[in-house]
Amino acid sequence: MTSALRSVASAVLIVLACILVPVSVLTVWVHDIVLDTDRYVATMKPLASDPAIEAAAHNRIVQAVDVRVDGKEVTAEIAAWLQSQGLPPRAAKAVKGLAPQLDAAVNAAADKVATRFVESDRFEKVWVTANRAAHTAVVHALTGKGRGAVGVSEGTVTLDVGTAVDRVKQELVDAGLEPAEKIPDVDKQMVLFQSDKLEKVQGAAHALDVLGNWLPVLTVVLAAAGVFLAHRRRRALAKTALGAAFACLVVAIGLVVARRYYLDHLPPQVQSEAAAAAVFDHLLHFLRIALRTAIVLGVVIALGAYFIGPGRLARATRSTAERGADSAAGWWGGHGIDTGPVGTWTEAHRKWLTVGALLIVALLFALWNHPTVLTVLLLVLILLAVLAVIALLAADGRRTRETVPPPPPRPAGPA
């Protein structure tokens, strides 16, 4: 392969890998999180105590219960009976005037019971149970398959709150509000979100699900091949890492814009903008974390590639670290501390020990289940600590080698 062709191939592979990094993050999110029941339930569970969801569920439950009492009819009957028992007509008229207060009291009772239920642990259990049973419907929302408490029809995603409504009705009856027994069956669907783009999202999600875990592996292979073919591999590695971080940043910004656009164009079927925002944020929670993690990881790799290079700041940083290690080794050597053969062996094999530490940290990151930004920072700190220990042991090995006098020359044999 000629030099020009090799450069072109390297550039194409690196650009393609940078573009595929955020796409790979999406495949992991769809395949391992959105379509994973336990993680989906763990994502949706906090919504049960979210004020916006509580308010939306409360309003929908109250609307579904909708206890209707004819206050005028009830107060008229009471006034007629009291008048037949000798109550003056003026007092009976006053009793009839209590109809609005009676209606308000009944509505307040329904509102109070619904509020108490939504804010209780029972609502959280209903919410978690419904979402676990509804996970197949989330798959349906993304792939067009499955059913559950969450329904998807013509771009509208709804949650069946029937269980919650039935429990509130029973509580009203138990509290002595007999008209609640006559509440008819009504629509008990709470619209979570609605979009005419859902069918397009379904097609994209199906494609991402098919790719599954293979696309991230392919992305890494393409990036490695691009760096390998480059003439300046260290610089190519830094550019690849920064390019991938930038691509993820673009997608992260796109999510922010998409969120704002969606909330600004909510259709009338969505009862609560705050609830729609809460659902949007929780469903994309792990995706945002993954994008941030990729961005931080890319910056960290780029910085690492720079600091092992010939740059002025990089050389100054390495020189300062080496002088610090030599000073530390000299200090503990003056206090009778000697690492002995461990230090000399470390000094002789420092390069391979450093490479081994890098490979182990990379393996830990690859095997980490759903890493976060804190995971990256933790592994970086561990790597720096290991490299510091290697540098200190190597410095003591140099000190030992320099202070040990060479062996005396062997006496010359007889002529």
Side-chain angles (χ1 to χ4, degrees), residues 57-351:
H58 167 271
N59 294 336
R60 190 66 193 94
I61 291 172
V62 170
Q63 292 172 9
V65 173
D66 195 17
V67 180
R68 296 293 183 182
V69 176
D70 191 339
K72 290 184 178 181
E73 181 180 349
V74 172
T75 54
E77 292 177 357
I78 294 175
W81 180 82
L82 291 176
Q83 192 170 359
S84 68
Q85 301 298 317
L87 187 71
R90 182 175 297 180
K93 183 178 181 181
V95 171
K96 292 181 180 179
L98 296 176
Q101 287 83 352
L102 179 60
D103 288 334
V106 172
N107 292 335
D111 181 84
K112 183 178 180 180
V113 172
T115 299
R116 186 170 63 245
F117 176 79
V118 169
E119 294 178 351
S120 68
D121 294 338
R122 289 172 296 169
F123 176 70
E124 180 176 328
K125 292 179 181 178
V126 170
W127 176 268
V128 171
T129 301
N131 275 281
R132 182 172 291 278
H135 182 258
T136 53
V138 175
V139 177
H140 174 40
L142 293 174
T143 65
K145 301 177 181 178
R147 298 181 181 275
V150 174
V152 182
S153 176
E154 298 181 355
T156 301
V157 180
T158 58
L159 176 66
D160 186 357
V161 295
T163 303
V165 171
D166 293 339
R167 292 196 181 188
V168 170
K169 287 167 55 177
Q170 186 59 46
E171 285 199 20
L172 290 173
V173 174
D174 295 341
L177 198 61
E178 295 182 0
E181 295 179 345
K182 301 178 181 180
I183 297 173
D185 291 333
V186 295
D187 179 22
K188 302 171 184 176
Q189 303 296 325
M190 183 175 76
V191 176
L192 297 178
F193 59 89
Q194 192 275 342
S195 174
D196 55 1
K197 306 295 184 183
L198 186 58
E199 292 185 0
K200 296 181 180 179
V201 174
Q202 289 175 344
H206 178 70
L208 293 176
D209 183 36
V210 171
L211 291 174
N213 292 325
W214 293 107
L215 187 58
V217 176
L218 176 62
T219 302
V220 172
V221 171
L222 291 176
V227 173
F228 178 78
L229 291 176
H231 294 290
R232 298 180 177 180
R233 293 171 182 169
R234 182 190 58 80
R235 183 173 297 181
L237 176 61
K239 290 181 178 179
T240 303
L242 288 178
F246 178 76
C248 291
L249 179 61
V250 170
V251 174
I253 295 175
L255 290 179
V256 175
V257 175
R259 180 184 186 275
R260 187 65 268 164
Y261 178 85
Y262 170 70
L263 295 179
D264 288 341
H265 296 79
L266 285 175
Q269 291 91 335
V270 178
Q271 289 92 343
S272 170
E273 177 180 339
V279 172
F280 187 99
D281 292 340
H282 276 74
L283 284 176
L284 297 181
H285 176 68
F286 288 104
L287 177 59
R288 288 172 170 171
I289 290 179
L291 289 172
R292 294 169 190 166
T293 302
I295 293 171
V296 173
L297 180 63
V299 173
V300 168
I301 293 176
L303 288 174
Y306 171 77
F307 279 108
I308 63 174
R312 179 180 301 178
L313 178 59
R315 292 199 308 269
T317 302
R318 292 198 301 268
S319 298
T320 301
E322 289 297 321
R323 288 195 300 270
D326 290 336
S327 298
W331 180 85
W332 71 44
H335 289 74
I337 303 176
D338 187 4
T339 59
V342 174
T344 55
W345 183 86
T346 302
E347 198 273 335
H349 300 84
R350 181 176 180 178
K351 178 181 178 181

